[in-house]
Amino acid sequence: SAVISQKPSRDICQRGTSLTIQCQVDSQVTMMFWYRQQPGQSLTLIATANQGSEATYESGFVIDKFPISRPNLTFSTLTVSNMSPEDSSIYLCSVALDRYTEAFFGQGTRLTVV
Amino acid sequence: DAKTTQPNSMESNEEEPVHLPCNHSTISGTDYIHWYRQLPSQGPEYVIHGLTSNVNNRMASLAIAEDRKSSTLILHRATLRDAAVYYCILPQFYNQGGKLIFGQGTELSVKP
């Protein structure tokens, strides 16, 4: 199993600024994932955070806007850069160990951009 | 990517069984069927998963069609706490990790 802690749990930010979200897992995992959930919508995968190499971004998401760091097997950060009100969403970190077990999610970071 | 199709919403009465359907006609032989749910203001949580045989756990049962092109999540006695969005997902696993592609899910409401 895995327990995921995300910080901050929520924040209100000014447009044009950046916010870095932290994700800490209580065990070593090969890959971590970042999702975005816009208001009233389902979750959308942003990228896969790979330890020791650049993150792999899904279509529609770019590194300049959502830089991701993964310094070790238990920690990752997602930065939302140059924020606009359209970035107001919940951002979630997740790990999925293998096909035989479940995926685990953090509680999310609720971001409001004003 | 294997795609799933679910009804947008369903209603149930408290303490009655609920059957949540999912179609996945393009499923491959190695795809596991996972179900997650998202309670209001929370991250998704795992419910159950299976490959071919029906599965039971303390939360629910998963019935998988013989051709594996559809499955049904069964909540045996719905409670108010089961009101959530339920997602049927076929995770993609590689390199010791899996990514989940979420569809719109089924929003389940439970009436007292």
Side-chain angles (χ1 to χ4, degrees), chain A residues 30-31 33 35 37 41-43 45 48 58 92 96-103 105-107 110, chain B residues 30 32 34 36 38 41-44 46 49 87 93-104:
Chain A
T30 304
M31 288 192 289
F33 304 91
Y35 292 84
Q37 188 169 29
Q41 301 296 313
S42 181
L43 284 77
L45 181 64
T48 302
E58 299 296 311
L92 299 107
L97 304 181
D98 57 49
R99 64 181 66 239
Y100 310 113
T101 59
E102 65 257 47
F105 287 82
Q107 286 302 299
R110 184 180 295 271
Chain B
T30 57
Y32 275 71
H34 283 230
Y36 291 80
Q38 188 173 23
S41 301
Q42 295 191 25
Y46 167 82
H49 77 284
Y87 297 99
F93 287 97
Y94 55 99
N95 293 340
Q96 300 179 17
K99 66 178 184 180
L100 278 59
I101 305 300
F102 285 78
Q104 289 305 305

Side-chain angles (χ1 to χ4, degrees), chain A residues 17-36:
Chain A
T17 63
S18 298
L19 176 71
T20 295
I21 302 168
Q22 299 180 359
C23 178
Q24 179 75 53
V25 187
D26 69 343
S27 57
Q28 295 187 344
V29 293
T30 304
M31 288 192 289
M32 297 168 71
F33 304 91
W34 287 98
Y35 292 84
R36 179 177 73 182

Side-chain angles (χ1 to χ4, degrees), chain A residues 49-112:
Chain A
N50 306 305
Q51 195 269 335
S53 64
E54 192 172 281
T56 304
Y57 290 85
E58 299 296 311
S59 176
F61 297 95
V62 295
I63 188 171
D64 290 346
K65 176 66 176 177
F66 298 100
I68 289 171
S69 79
R70 181 82 192 275
N72 56 52
L73 293 177
T74 64
F75 186 78
S76 177
T77 66
L78 168 75
T79 299
V80 186
S81 303
N82 188 24
M83 289 183 286
S84 67
E86 290 70 36
D87 295 319
S88 298
S89 296
I90 299 172
Y91 293 86
L92 299 107
C93 168
S94 171
V95 301
L97 304 181
D98 57 49
R99 64 181 66 239
Y100 310 113
T101 59
E102 65 257 47
F104 301 90
F105 287 82
Q107 286 302 299
T109 297
R110 184 180 295 271
L111 170 63
T112 302

Side-chain angles (χ1 to χ4, degrees), chain A residues 99-103, chain B residues 20 32-37 44-51 53-64 71-76 86-91 100:
Chain A
R99 64 181 66 239
Y100 310 113
T101 59
E102 65 257 47
Chain B
L20 297 164
Y32 275 71
I33 302 159
H34 283 230
W35 283 81
Y36 291 80
R37 72 179 184 181
E45 64 176 359
Y46 167 82
V47 177
I48 200 167
H49 77 284
L51 182 62
S53 304
N54 295 345
V55 185
N56 301 293
N57 66 20
R58 65 176 178 81
M59 289 181 70
S61 295
L62 176 60
I64 302 172
S71 61
T72 302
L73 179 70
I74 303 166
L75 307 179
H76 295 286
Y86 288 78
Y87 297 99
C88 169
I89 301 171
L90 309 182
L100 278 59

